[in-house]
């Protein structure tokens, strides 16, 4: 790209401008076209000024090929200056003007370098010294040049080098320039298109290994001169040479407010008869003691702190002194790998660093591992909480998939508040138990009472046995659970499945008489994504299903029972819908070895509710959020997921081929007309996933279905919490999002099919991503806001924290509806 370089320090000089030559050469090495327009002499502390009434005149500077920045080279000629431009169009020539940095930007943009094409970026700097904190930035000529470029509608970066020694080591300077070019290129490549940023202020510390240090987004520290903040010193007679004074001021910066800058008094004694004011001269002599003290006393996260700690700071700004892109503050600018030819090692950049610690601050480990959901969770967090309220933690490089992440190694101390949103296996349950008041996680440790199909059946059975009037009695089909290791033992496995055996015997009689049979649905209890689901109506059909599976199993006696119970033996493990280990089996609608053993059979729901003009079967996906121990919420914006083919009764599809994506013709039910899980469909048509509230049903009918779902969801979670304590245990410092599937029959009754942990949000599709984003906004607003006791923004966080909402209000227009508040007396 074509880059215009300006500064406020003037042409290369070991004493006043030791860095610009190195930066220009590094930009050229990276293949950029570089034009240079600088003040002809030192113009520091002048801000964004122009000299009104002055005719600005240019000089022409031809730089040397190399430059020695060490003070000992101050007397050497390193570049030559001419009053007229060179006639050699191929030679390198910089423009020097007797104006300000802002004037240099104006003149460089509009009056020179047109033969090189439009200017893409203006870089002002590198400044001889830091421009962190408001006190330095407000007077900075370096920022003034960048601001002028910004109001000229050019992308601009103010670059400053924070030195800690006046012994200018060329190796350190060159490393800082290489690092700066990488930062410049990264910022330009990802420049916001929404006009939220006009310019960046970048501060690079001149330290060894700067290329290996982090680059942080940081706000500008608001600081002030001290109470006795006089920046001028009273003197007698004429002041010294301006360049000499500038050098003395920089010595003061290096010494960080050395005592020899104290003002010397020169004035009246106040005696009568003298003039009202003594005649004095004033010389610029700022004292930096309070400026540096403000950095030392400030909380981590600002630009002054970052440079003090040896990090490069990047501050997005608008050209009106406002911070731009404040949502980035506290995160790390991830740079591309450095060029191996210029640096021996590449950098491993983490996502963020620990910098913000305000009163309501918490740390957040957000690593959901699902590329569909991860950015939505981060977006929800950013919308709910100001950037200074939390710090994002990176997933450790040493983290092993499927094993807990040690939070104690990530946090400054174990008392630090932490939000963890990760896969179940990454949660350190010992840490969760040890720090119940500061650690909030996105899953309960025990919840198989609901997410395992055979456990769910037992939960409902126990609850209804003591509460026959429960809504679960009429909205959950009774499940016949059985265990089977080998197909030849099917008869033995069904000894206690009384209802199932009786039904199959009746079907045998009806088949002989030509009557209508009762159909059953078989589900492996440990499967997800619709794997292994079959329909059957006779013992022979059920036996054939197991015989087929057994033929397809690998020749191995290793049992992969996959109970998902984790190391502790009573933990739920990975029961998520999107278990990647079963992806291949999912594509075939097959069953994996780990799913063989536990099965449930339920009466098949027939006929289902079909829409006018659309005879495809559908089920309703409802997201349910459980918070603490125990508030149960239903997300109002439900989904309708449709089958891939028109619905037909099982008997009428007996001539169809086998299951979807299967070449085996041993089964004779076309499941694509019966299964509504989008993972299994071969012919996913337009409209397979739709908003429930957009379905062409009567409003009263949809409201009735929603109310049924709310009642069933609240009841089933209370049943698990009260009747199955060993297998469902809500925690005060946890929350979890479940996916509940309901099927509505032709009479309008909503039947609960299953409960999924870590639901597969991808089923929602790209067009409805906003629906999932809204869910996470609601869940994080209530769970995180209440747990950490903070207040967020833009989402009515006060209501979230207090939990004030009535059922009537919620079911009217609330996105997240409170359906049950279970007091477990804990």
């Amino acid at each position: 790209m074509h880059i215009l370089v300006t500064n406020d320090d003037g042409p290369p000089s070991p004493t006043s401008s030791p860095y610009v030559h190195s930066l220009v050469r590094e930009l050229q090495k990276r293949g950029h076209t570089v034009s240079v327009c600088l003040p002809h002499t030192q113009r520091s502390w002048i801000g964004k000024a122009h000299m009104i009434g002055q005719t600005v005149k240019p000089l022409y500077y031809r730089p040397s090929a190399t430059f020695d920045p060490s003070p000992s080279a101050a007397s050497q000629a390193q570049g030559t200056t001419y009053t007229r431009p060179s006639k050699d169009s191929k030679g390198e020539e910089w423009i020097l003007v007797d104006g300000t940095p802002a004037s240099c930007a104006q003149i460089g943009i509009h009056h020179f370098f047109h033969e090189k094409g439009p200017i893409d970026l203006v870089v002002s700097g590198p400044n001889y010294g830091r421009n962190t904190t408001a006190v330095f930035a407000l007077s900075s000529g370096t920022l003034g040049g960048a601001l002028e470029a910004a109001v000229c509608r050019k992308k601009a970066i103010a670059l400053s080098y924070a030195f800690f020694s006046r012994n200018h080591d060329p190796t350190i300077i060159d490393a800082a320039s290489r690092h700066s070019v990488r930062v410049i290129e990264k910022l330009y490549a990802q420049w916001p298109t929404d006009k939220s940023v006009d310019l960046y202020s970048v501060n690079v510390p001149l330290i060894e290994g700067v290329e290996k240090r982090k680059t942080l987004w940081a706000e500008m520290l608001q600081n002030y001169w001290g109470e006795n903040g006089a920046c001028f010193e009273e003197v007698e007679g004429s002041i010294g040479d301006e360049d000499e004074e500038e050098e003395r001021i920089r010595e003061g910066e290096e010494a960080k407010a050395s005592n020899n800058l104290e003002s010397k008094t020169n004035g009246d004694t106040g005696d009568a008869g003298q003039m009202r004011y003594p005649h004095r001269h004033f010389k610029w002599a700022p004292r930096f003691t309070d400026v540096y003290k403000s950095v030392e006393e400030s909380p981590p996260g600002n630009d002054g702190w970052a440079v003090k700690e040896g990090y490069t700071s990047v501050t997005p700004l608008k050209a009106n002194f406002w911070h731009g892109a404040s949502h980035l503050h506290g995160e790390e600018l991830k740079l591309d790998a450095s060029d191996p030819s210029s640096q021996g090692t590449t950098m491993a950049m983490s996502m963020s660093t620990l910098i913000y610690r305000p009163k309501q601050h918490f740390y957040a480990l957000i690593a959901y591992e699902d590329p569909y959901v991860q950015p939505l969770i981060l977006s929800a967090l950013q919308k709910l909480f100001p950037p200074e309220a939390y710090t994002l933690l990176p997933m450790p490089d040493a983290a092993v998939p499927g094993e807990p992440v040690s939070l104690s190694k990530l946090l400054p101390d174990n008392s630090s508040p932490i939000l963890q949103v990760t896969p179940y296996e990454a949660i350190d349950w010992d840490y969760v138990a040890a720090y119940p008041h500061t650690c909030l996680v996105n899953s309960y440790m025990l919840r198989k009472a609901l997410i395992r199909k055979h456990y769910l059946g037992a939960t409902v059975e126990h609850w209804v046995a003591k509460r026959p009037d429960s809504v679960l009695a009429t909205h959950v089909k009774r499940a016949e659970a059985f265990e089977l290791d080998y197909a030849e033992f099917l008869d033995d496995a069904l000894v206690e499945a009384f209802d199932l055996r009786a039904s199959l015997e009746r079907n045998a009689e009806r088949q002989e008489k030509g009557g209508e049979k009762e159909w059953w649905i078989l589900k492996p209890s440990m499967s997800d994504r619709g794997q292994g689901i079959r329909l059957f109506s006779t013992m022979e059909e059920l036996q054939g299903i197991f015989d087929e599976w057994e033929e397809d199993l690998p020749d191995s006696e290793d049992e992969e029972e996959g109970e998902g119970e984790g190391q502790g033996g009573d933990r739920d493990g990975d029961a998520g819908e999107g278990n990647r280990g079963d992806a291949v089996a999912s594509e075939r609608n097959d069953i994996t070895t780990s799913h063989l053993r536990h099965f449930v059979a339920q009466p098949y729901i027939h006929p289902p509710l079909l829409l006018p003009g659309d005879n495809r079967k559908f089920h309703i996906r409802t997201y349910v959020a459980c918070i603490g121990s125990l508030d149960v919420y239903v997300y109002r914006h439900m989904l309708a997921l449709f089958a891939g083919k028109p619905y037909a009764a099982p008997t009428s599809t007996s001539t169809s081929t086998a299951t979807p994506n299967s070449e085996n013709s041993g089964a004779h039910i076309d499941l694509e007309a019966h299964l509504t899980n989008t993972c299994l469909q071969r012919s996913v048509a337009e409209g397979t996933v739709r908003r429930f509230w957009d379905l062409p049903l009567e409003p009263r009918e949809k409201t009735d279905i929603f109310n049924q779902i709310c009642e069933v969801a609240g009841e089933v979670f209370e049943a698990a919490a009260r009747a199955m304590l060993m297998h469902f245990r809500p925690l005060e410092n946890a929350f979890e999002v479940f996916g509940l599937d309901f099927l509505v029959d032709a009479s309008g009754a909503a039947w609960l099919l299953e409960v999924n942990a870590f639901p597969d949000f991808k089923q929602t599709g790209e067009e409805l991503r906003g629906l999932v984003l809204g869910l996470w906004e609601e869940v994080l607003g209530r769970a995180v806001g209440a747990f950490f006791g903070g207040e967020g923004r833009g989402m009515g966080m006060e209501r979230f924290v207090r939990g004030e909402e009535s059922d009537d209000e919620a079911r009217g227009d609330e996105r997240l509806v409170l359906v049950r508040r279970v007091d477990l007396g804990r």
Side-chain angles (χ1 to χ4, degrees):
M1 56 181 159
H2 185 189
I3 299 175
L4 172 65
V5 174
T6 188
N7 69 6
D8 69 353
D9 294 321
S13 164
T15 57
S16 61
S17 184
Y19 310 140
V20 66
H21 191 281
S22 173
L23 178 71
V24 170
R25 289 290 179 259
E26 190 60 35
L27 287 169
Q28 291 169 336
K29 288 179 185 178
R30 298 283 290 190
H32 300 294
T33 300
V34 183
S35 300
V36 183
C37 185
L38 311 175
H40 77 298
T41 189
Q42 181 63 243
R43 286 289 183 260
S44 293
W45 293 88
I46 203 168
K48 185 187 167 299
H50 294 286
M51 301 299 185
I52 302 300
Q54 173 185 329
T55 299
V56 177
K57 299 180 290 293
L59 296 173
Y60 304 91
Y61 177 81
R62 298 167 196 172
S64 57
T66 60
F67 177 77
D68 183 358
S70 59
S72 60
S75 60
Q76 300 177 13
Q78 302 190 76
T80 53
T81 303
Y82 300 87
T83 58
R84 305 293 294 176
S86 171
K87 295 181 180 180
D88 181 7
S89 60
K90 296 182 180 180
E92 183 178 13
E93 193 166 60
W94 300 359
I95 306 300
L96 309 181
V97 297
D98 58 349
T100 66
S103 299
C104 292
Q106 269 275 349
I107 291 171
I109 291 171
H110 296 295
H111 300 283
F112 284 98
F113 316 120
H114 293 163
E115 73 281 0
K116 299 180 182 180
I119 290 172
D120 300 303
L121 176 70
V122 175
V123 175
S124 183
N127 188 64
Y128 186 7
R130 71 198 67 198
N131 272 310
T132 57
T133 81
V135 166
F136 287 124
L138 286 172
S139 299
S140 168
T142 301
L143 264 76
L147 282 165
E148 185 65 32
V151 297
C152 289
R153 303 178 185 272
K154 296 293 183 182
K155 296 179 176 67
I157 295 173
L159 176 64
S160 305
Y161 288 176
F163 61 80
F164 301 88
S165 168
R166 288 173 60 81
N167 182 20
H168 307 304
D169 185 335
T171 301
I172 292 179
I173 293 174
D174 289 344
S177 293
R178 286 195 302 270
H179 178 63
S180 297
V181 171
R182 293 176 60 216
V183 173
I184 289 168
E185 291 174 338
K186 188 67 175 180
L187 291 177
Y188 184 84
Q190 63 179 43
W191 205 284
T193 58
D194 59 359
K195 299 184 179 180
S196 60
V197 176
D198 291 331
L199 70 154
Y200 292 98
S201 176
V202 177
N203 285 271
V204 178
L206 289 183
I207 58 174
E208 290 187 18
V210 67
E211 295 175 279
K212 299 179 182 179
R213 305 281 289 178
K214 293 178 179 178
T215 299
L216 305 179
W217 299 102
E219 66 180 357
M220 185 181 293
L221 175 63
Q222 178 63 67
N223 61 349
Y224 307 88
W225 295 114
E227 291 295 333
N228 184 23
C231 294
F232 286 86
E233 181 181 49
E234 300 176 10
V235 297
E236 296 181 6
S238 62
I239 62 174
D241 175 78
E242 292 181 1
D243 291 338
E244 181 182 324
E245 294 305 315
E246 176 63 28
E247 184 175 349
R248 189 184 61 77
I249 290 172
R250 295 200 186 282
E251 292 173 350
E253 286 190 43
E254 178 187 352
K256 292 191 177 181
S258 60
N259 294 329
N260 65 352
L261 295 181
E262 294 295 331
S263 300
K264 294 177 287 187
T265 308
N266 175 33
D268 305 326
T269 61
D271 294 340
Q274 289 193 350
M275 297 177 64
R276 181 177 181 182
Y277 299 111
H279 181 65
R280 288 162 290 186
H281 290 187
F282 300 92
K283 183 165 54 178
W284 177 246
R287 290 176 291 181
F288 298 109
T289 303
D290 294 305
V291 177
Y292 290 110
K293 184 179 179 182
S294 68
V295 174
E296 295 291 339
E297 295 178 349
S298 69
N302 60 76
D303 55 354
W305 170 87
V307 171
K308 176 176 68 72
E309 295 296 318
Y311 301 125
T312 296
S313 70
V314 178
T315 303
L317 297 171
K318 291 290 289 180
N320 51 17
F321 294 104
W322 289 349
H323 284 120
S326 60
H327 65 281
L328 293 174
H329 293 168
E331 297 190 21
E332 181 179 346
L333 174 64
K334 294 179 287 184
L335 303 179
D336 298 329
S338 56
D339 186 354
S341 64
S342 61
Q343 182 184 354
T345 59
T346 59
M347 294 190 297
M349 286 293 186
S350 59
M351 292 178 63
S352 64
T353 188
L354 308 180
I355 59 176
Y356 277 101
R357 298 182 183 90
K359 293 181 180 179
Q360 299 294 338
H361 176 272
F362 62 92
Y363 296 101
L365 177 61
I366 311 296
Y368 201 79
E369 288 193 353
D370 184 343
Y372 181 93
V373 184
Q374 173 76 3
L376 301 181
I377 299 174
L378 292 173
S379 178
L381 203 63
Q382 292 171 358
K383 184 173 183 179
L384 289 166
F385 301 97
E388 64 271 16
Y390 65 94
T391 295
L392 288 174
L393 298 174
M395 182 66 88
D397 293 335
V400 178
E403 294 187 7
V405 174
S406 176
L407 295 180
S408 60
K409 295 180 180 179
L410 287 179
L411 296 171
D413 56 73
N414 289 333
S415 64
S416 301
I418 172 69
L419 164 67
Q420 180 175 357
V421 181
T422 64
Y424 180 95
E425 294 82 3
I427 298 176
D428 183 350
W429 291 109
D430 293 333
Y431 189 94
V432 174
Y435 301 97
H437 302 297
T438 57
C439 179
L440 178 66
V441 294
N442 66 309
S443 176
Y444 297 132
M445 184 174 72
L446 302 176
R447 67 265 208 275
K448 67 176 61 175
L450 294 168
I451 64 176
R452 302 302 190 203
K453 296 178 182 67
H454 56 300
Y455 278 93
L456 175 60
T459 298
V460 173
E461 184 176 1
H462 292 329
W463 186 255
V464 172
K466 295 184 178 181
R467 298 167 181 80
D469 295 332
S470 169
V471 67
L472 299 183
T474 54
H475 290 272
V476 183
K477 291 291 184 179
R478 185 178 185 276
E480 295 280 5
F482 60 94
E483 297 183 21
L484 180 65
D485 291 315
Y486 298 98
E488 61 184 297
F489 301 126
L490 179 60
D491 280 336
D492 296 335
L494 298 180
V495 168
E496 296 184 4
F498 302 111
D499 289 349
L500 173 59
R501 294 183 69 94
S503 174
L504 296 182
E505 290 172 1
R506 289 193 300 270
N507 284 341
E509 296 175 359
R510 291 171 182 171
Q511 188 172 12
E512 293 178 359
K513 298 178 181 179
E516 184 175 348
K517 296 183 293 185
E518 180 183 17
W519 284 84
W520 289 73
I521 185 168
L522 176 69
K523 304 175 183 177
S525 184
M526 301 290 294
S527 70
D528 53 38
R529 301 163 64 91
Q531 296 173 48
I533 291 179
R534 297 290 189 271
L535 300 183
F536 66 96
S537 61
T538 66
M539 191 66 179
E540 290 74 16
E541 291 170 352
L542 182 59
Q543 183 70 59
I545 292 170
F546 284 103
D547 289 341
E548 176 191 347
W549 282 339
E550 197 163 81
E551 291 175 1
D552 293 339
L553 290 179
D555 296 329
S556 172
E557 295 184 359
D558 294 335
E559 288 195 16
E560 301 175 10
E561 295 183 2
E563 291 266 1
E565 295 181 353
Q567 296 176 351
D570 61 348
R571 299 179 179 179
D572 287 357
D574 181 25
E577 257 189 317
N579 190 341
R580 293 186 301 271
D582 300 330
V584 175
S586 172
E587 292 176 1
R588 303 191 311 261
N589 189 24
D590 206 341
I591 183 169
T592 64
T593 308
S594 62
H595 296 159
L596 279 178
R597 186 176 182 182
H598 295 284
F599 298 89
V600 294
Q602 293 174 292
Y604 186 62
I605 300 172
H606 170 77
L609 176 67
L610 301 177
L611 299 179
D614 187 347
N615 61 346
R616 292 178 301 164
K617 179 182 173 182
F618 68 92
H619 83 263
I620 298 171
R621 164 51 61 92
T622 303
Y623 294 118
V624 174
C626 292
I627 298 175
S629 61
L630 172 70
D631 290 347
V632 183
Y633 294 87
V634 168
Y635 189 49
R636 179 177 177 83
H637 299 297
M638 304 184 298
L639 298 171
L641 282 72
F642 289 78
K645 290 183 178 180
Y647 180 76
T651 52
S652 64
T653 60
S654 59
T655 59
S656 181
T657 58
T659 56
N661 301 321
S662 173
E663 297 178 358
N664 191 322
S665 60
H668 301 289
I669 301 296
D670 187 356
L671 293 183
E672 199 165 359
H674 298 271
L675 298 187
T676 52
N677 190 313
T678 56
C679 300
L680 303 178
Q681 296 169 7
R682 289 175 299 177
S683 53
V684 177
E686 185 176 350
T688 297
V689 180
R690 299 169 62 182
R691 293 178 182 269
F692 167 76
W693 295 101
D694 292 341
L695 298 181
L697 297 171
E698 292 294 329
R700 181 178 300 178
E701 187 174 8
K702 287 187 284 191
T703 300
D704 178 63
I705 292 171
F706 179 67
N707 288 336
Q708 291 182 60
I709 288 174
C710 289
E711 291 298 324
V712 173
E715 187 86 351
V716 75
F717 278 94
E718 182 172 4
R722 295 192 187 280
M724 301 288 279
L725 295 178
M726 294 299 295
H727 303 297
F728 184 73
R729 193 173 303 168
L731 301 174
E732 282 290 344
N733 59 326
F735 66 94
E736 185 158 2
V737 177
F738 297 89
L740 274 63
D741 291 333
F742 290 85
L743 183 71
V744 182
D745 65 20
S747 69
W751 296 89
L752 174 64
L753 301 179
E754 62 183 19
V755 178
N756 297 285
F758 286 85
D760 184 10
F761 290 105
K762 292 190 298 295
Q763 292 189 44
T764 308
E766 290 298 321
E767 294 182 358
L768 298 180
R769 285 171 67 94
L771 184 148
V772 180
L773 173 60
L775 168 66
W776 281 100
E777 289 174 356
E778 295 285 335
V779 172
L780 293 179
R782 285 173 172 80
V784 180
F787 187 80
F788 293 121
E791 292 186 358
R793 60 187 180 192
M795 289 295 296
M797 280 294 299
E798 292 181 0
R799 172 176 59 78
F800 287 166
V801 173
R802 294 194 303 267
E804 295 178 358
E805 58 184 351
S806 67
D807 287 348
D808 292 338
E809 275 186 321
R811 297 195 186 181
D813 56 7
E814 285 291 326
R815 291 194 297 182
L816 203 60
V817 179
L818 178 64
V819 298
R820 193 67 55 100
R821 179 160 282 161
V822 183
D823 184 3
L824 298 175
R826 298 174 186 170

